[in-house]
Amino acid sequence: MGFDTGRFLSEKFEPRTAIVPVSELRDWFEEGDKLEWKVRGLSGVEIARADEMASKRNVSTAILEGLLTMRANDVRDAIKKMVGHSDEIPEATARRIAHLVTGSVDPVCDEDLAARLNKTFPTVFLTLTNQILILSGQGMTSPGKSKPFGKTTKSKAR
């Protein structure tokens, strides 16, 4: 029994999703709303884009700032940023911000919200981005396949 390449290539897949409780953020939900954040797994291309965005972010910012001012101190600071010696957001955090922006289903999350969440509720931020990575690692699901609901008990014969 081998891998059925043809069936795999013709299968339609969708990202896995999960609901993450975020009770720490209750002050920013309407009364009566569920304190939840829905996230989804990322595709390989989305993960690569997030990695690429994170690595380019600090370098492009540094170059732009240095070139716009052309003052010696600013150019020096720009070079320091380029080699990673600055107060910029660390690349690993920038990567997670990109993951949260891409993987948030509800609420929709932009870069400002993700960065603010990282700064003010870092554990919630890590929980959400960890869940996105877990879902990504589990791969996508096939909508045509039935998903298990939970444990079933075997009936006893009479």
Side-chain angles (χ1 to χ4, degrees):
M1 175 178 197
F3 183 73
D4 189 342
T5 304
R7 190 168 57 97
F8 180 79
L9 291 174
S10 66
E11 190 76 47
K12 297 206 184 306
F13 291 99
E14 61 185 31
R16 290 179 191 271
T17 60
I19 302 294
V20 180
V22 288
S23 59
E24 301 88 342
L25 304 176
R26 75 176 38 86
D27 291 345
W28 296 276
F29 281 85
E30 295 293 323
E31 191 172 327
D33 283 351
K34 292 182 180 179
L35 308 177
E36 300 173 336
W37 198 295
K38 185 176 182 181
V39 296
R40 68 172 179 86
L42 306 178
S43 69
V45 170
E46 289 171 327
I47 291 171
R49 277 192 195 122
D51 292 351
E52 193 173 86
M53 285 173 35
S55 64
K56 286 181 178 178
R57 174 191 176 125
N58 289 339
V59 172
S60 62
T61 301
I63 292 169
L64 184 60
E65 287 174 358
L67 292 176
L68 286 176
T69 60
M70 291 306 288
R71 292 191 315 229
N73 287 342
D74 293 333
V75 173
R76 184 197 68 228
D77 291 343
I79 292 169
K80 284 172 69 176
K81 287 179 183 180
M82 285 173 57
V83 296
H85 299 289
S86 71
D87 295 330
E88 289 290 317
I89 293 174
E91 190 171 321
T93 302
R95 182 178 299 111
R96 283 187 178 256
I97 287 171
H99 290 166
L100 186 58
V101 168
T102 306
S104 286
V105 176
D106 186 26
V108 173
C109 182
D110 63 13
E111 195 172 302
D112 291 336
L113 175 57
R116 180 71 178 220
L117 189 62
N118 174 61
K119 181 178 181 178
T120 57
F121 288 88
T123 305
V124 172
F125 175 81
L126 288 173
T127 299
L128 292 169
T129 56
N130 284 341
Q131 186 61 54
I132 290 168
L133 291 173
I134 288 168
L135 294 168
S136 301
Q138 291 173 340
M140 293 189 175
T141 61
S142 177
K145 306 276 186 200
S146 61
K147 297 171 184 75
F149 289 70
K151 292 185 178 181
T152 57
T153 57
K154 197 173 190 179
S155 60
K156 295 181 182 180
R158 293 188 181 201

